Amino acid sequence: MRPGPRPRPGAPTVGAVRGAALLLGLTGFGATLWYGLDEPGNALAFGTLIALGELARWGAAPGEREPAPLGAAGALAYALLGTSAGHATTHGVLQTVAVVVAAGLAGIVPHIARGRGPGLDHFARRVLTVGFAALCFQPLYNAGAVTRHLGQGPAYALFLVLLLVLTALCDAVLAALLLRARTGFPYGPLLRDELRALLGIGSAVCATGTVMALGVAAAGLWALPVLAVPLLLTQLSFRRYAAVRTVNRQTIASLARATEIAGCTPPGHAHRVAALSAAVGRELGLSGTELAVLEHAALMHDIGQLSLVDPVEGGATALLPAEDQRRIALLGGEVVRRTGVPEAVAVVVERQADPYREQPPAARIVRAVNAYDDLAGDGAGAALGALERLRLGTARDYHPDVVECLARVLARGGAPGVTSVVPG
């Protein structure tokens, strides 16, 4: 049967994270209003940088891990600011949170006005991680413990780097926790995926935040615009790269529809297989790059049928003899190579009909998910029967771990538009 609306068991987790961020933000505003704003110049400069960073999220793709890296780096730099042009700062933890929240809200107002405001989860993570960084640094620095033991040399810079690494790890834990609550995917693979992402834009944000804090400490606020330029240029380059990837994916999706337009496969088959394959791959712990290859191969897995003189009845290749499946897979791999798609995608397509002991992990997933979608009908009985047939084929055709992983994903509701199985 097709999955309908399901309860959201992760709603309490999402509510708890958002509630903690809201409480911290309100506390920061309250304390700042009560005690007054320390060093207004610093607060204005960093607040402006954070707001501009949020404004620069124009063109960010939905779900982008860090759509406002300049704002994130500025917020972390303010949290780790101990001196400005040689003069000690006293803004503390709560004022840091208040400035970050106020500047962030100011920067996202234009996006909200256009109906493209950032997700609340991302903003809550920003508030909590900046509060964590400030809590780890400001009390120690204001008490004189940092300068007394580390001075202002390389040891101090290393201390800032370590704090930012710890903050990035906390952010990854929060991001994986929220994704787990929203998707139901296992926490371990989600956390691994977030940790891998730290090597990309996350490391650039941490490095820029450290350099900003050190630059302002030595040269004053004039260092901020100079140090912000490299990260802004990196952000623009990343957006262009992301736009190219989006165009490539749209091209692949259009090619995948060719089999449906030609009547070789049922409507929506390629997209159902791609969505469910991505869910299974994430369950098995595949990385971001591996997931991209898997999704593209799943979209194009039936493209070899365009080379057939006689179409397969109903497009269900899982019911064909092994040699016919292998021939269609090889034809598909050759077609994919001619489209200019990366070689890894073509390899998955052409090896999807091999015995599973000879297949790469992505090909094992595509074969099992394609067979499931071919065999499953619109009823729960047909879906359960399809899973049972896959289990009976685990001696040669379908990897046992992939089949059981597929069963778990389906029991949780599968993926949007995918035939599901009633748990139990």
Side-chain angles (χ1 to χ4, degrees):
M1 65 178 180
R2 301 295 177 188
R6 304 190 304 272
R8 296 170 54 192
T13 300
V14 176
V17 172
R18 291 182 178 180
L22 178 61
L23 180 61
L24 181 58
L26 291 176
T27 304
F29 275 119
T32 303
L33 290 173
W34 182 263
Y35 294 106
L37 188 67
D38 289 332
E39 294 130 9
N42 290 343
L44 179 61
F46 279 94
T48 301
L49 179 64
I50 295 167
L52 291 175
E54 292 293 340
L55 286 173
R57 66 166 64 229
W58 297 115
E64 189 174 321
R65 275 193 169 85
E66 184 46 77
L70 186 60
L76 291 174
Y78 190 52
L80 301 183
L81 184 67
T83 58
S84 177
H87 301 289
T89 61
T90 58
H91 54 275
V93 177
L94 295 179
Q95 180 173 311
T96 299
V97 172
V99 169
V100 169
V101 172
L105 291 176
I108 64 177
V109 164
H111 301 286
I112 295 175
R114 291 171 58 95
R116 302 179 59 183
L120 290 177
D121 291 353
H122 186 273
F123 196 73
R125 281 169 43 206
R126 170 75 60 79
V127 174
L128 292 176
T129 52
V130 168
F132 174 81
L135 184 62
C136 290
F137 175 80
Q138 293 290 336
L140 289 175
Y141 191 91
N142 292 338
V146 175
T147 53
R148 184 167 58 250
H149 295 288
L150 301 177
Q152 295 290 341
Y156 176 69
L158 180 60
F159 174 67
L160 294 184
V161 171
L162 291 177
L163 278 184
L164 283 178
V165 169
L166 186 59
T167 302
L169 291 176
C170 291
D171 184 60
V173 169
L174 274 178
L177 187 66
L178 290 169
L179 280 173
R180 170 72 176 85
R182 292 198 173 280
T183 64
F185 293 137
Y187 183 75
L190 291 174
L191 180 59
R192 286 197 297 271
D193 205 23
E194 292 295 329
L195 292 176
R196 291 189 187 106
L198 291 180
L199 300 177
I201 193 66
S203 60
V205 169
C206 289
T208 305
T210 303
V211 172
M212 281 182 175
L214 293 173
V216 173
L221 296 175
W222 292 106
L224 280 181
V226 176
L227 298 174
V229 169
L231 186 58
L232 183 60
L233 294 177
T234 301
Q235 179 180 352
L236 294 175
S237 299
F238 176 79
R239 293 282 159 77
R240 291 177 181 174
Y241 171 70
V244 172
R245 290 185 59 185
T246 300
V247 171
N248 288 340
R249 193 188 185 287
Q250 291 171 346
T251 302
I252 291 171
S254 298
L255 289 171
R257 289 195 65 239
T259 56
E260 299 176 13
I261 295 172
C264 299
T265 57
H269 170 72
H271 286 275
R272 289 195 301 271
V273 173
L276 193 49
S277 294
V280 173
R282 193 176 289 277
E283 179 97 4
L284 289 171
L286 268 62
S287 67
T289 302
E290 293 168 329
L291 285 172
V293 170
L294 170 62
E295 186 178 6
H296 294 167
L299 282 170
M300 305 182 74
H301 75 279
D302 270 332
I303 203 167
Q305 294 196 45
L306 295 175
S307 302
L308 299 178
V309 176
D310 298 319
V312 178
E313 184 178 355
T317 55
L319 302 175
L320 295 176
E323 57 271 18
D324 290 341
Q325 294 186 36
R326 175 64 176 158
R327 181 166 61 90
I328 293 173
L330 290 174
L331 289 171
E334 188 61 30
V335 172
V336 171
R337 283 190 174 85
R338 294 178 182 273
T339 64
V341 172
E343 174 70 15
V345 177
V347 170
V348 173
V349 172
E350 71 181 5
R351 298 189 63 183
Q352 62 179 303
D354 293 352
Y356 72 76
R357 291 180 178 84
E358 303 172 11
Q359 291 176 310
R364 295 172 179 174
I365 295 171
V366 171
R367 179 169 193 178
V369 173
N370 173 60
Y372 171 79
D373 197 75
D374 282 346
L375 299 172
D378 288 332
L384 290 169
L387 269 180
E388 187 60 29
R389 290 187 65 169
L390 262 61
R391 288 191 174 104
L392 292 175
T394 52
R396 178 186 183 276
D397 296 330
Y398 311 112
H399 196 287
D401 292 344
V402 174
V403 174
E404 293 309 313
C405 184
L406 172 61
R408 291 196 300 271
V409 170
L410 291 168
R412 290 199 304 267
V418 177
T419 302
S420 184
V421 175
V422 179

